[in-house]
Amino acid sequence: MKKTLSRRARLATGGAVLAAVAAGTFGTVAANASAPEAAQDSAVSAAPAAAAGKRDTTTSTHLTIDAATEAARAALKAAGKEGQRVTVAVVDRNGNTILTMRGDGAGPQSYESAEKKAYTAVSWNAPTSELEGRLENAPNLKDIPGTLFLGGGVPVTAGKPPIAGIGVAGAPSGTLDEKFARAGAAVLN
């Protein structure tokens, strides 16, 4: 047999439960609010910063923005001497774009192509004209995001490792694009 409470009993029970919950919440808030600031600060600063050891880190060399600008200007100048309208991109060792200069009259497709050629050259530490031949044996290479296996990209090295890539696009051939990219790289040595 089911026992039902009167409306008055239900209201009284509900009110008592609500009062208990409110009192517990207020007590918790009041206890936290009255804690000294020093105790709160020590709890926050108790976790020390992690320090990496020398064997856990590496140092790398990066091309400065001034050097990247000088290289891009040299590539644009070389293209201009031959009447070519190109875009030049310079990326860092990690493939991040340092700068892109779109020459006067360069086609809209040249911007993205120059960046991809620079990225490809630094990723494989080889001129993109040499990398084109690898597609015969490994055609899936062209599917790697951000890459473009057409002549026009050259790596910039400091010793053996690449520190940047220069990509040029917009001339009628990859051979010309690469010639201009090499002119840009040449001012850095």
Side-chain angles (χ1 to χ4, degrees), residues 103-127:
D104 295 335
Q109 80 290 354
S110 64
Y111 194 92
E112 185 176 348
S113 297
E115 288 182 339
K116 287 182 174 187
K117 289 178 182 184
Y119 176 84
T120 305
V122 76
S123 295
W124 276 272
N125 193 20

Side-chain angles (χ1 to χ4, degrees), residues 76 80 83-87 101-107 110:
L76 282 173
Q84 299 301 318
R85 298 174 179 176
V86 300
T87 297
M101 290 183 162
R102 184 174 173 264
D104 295 335
S110 64

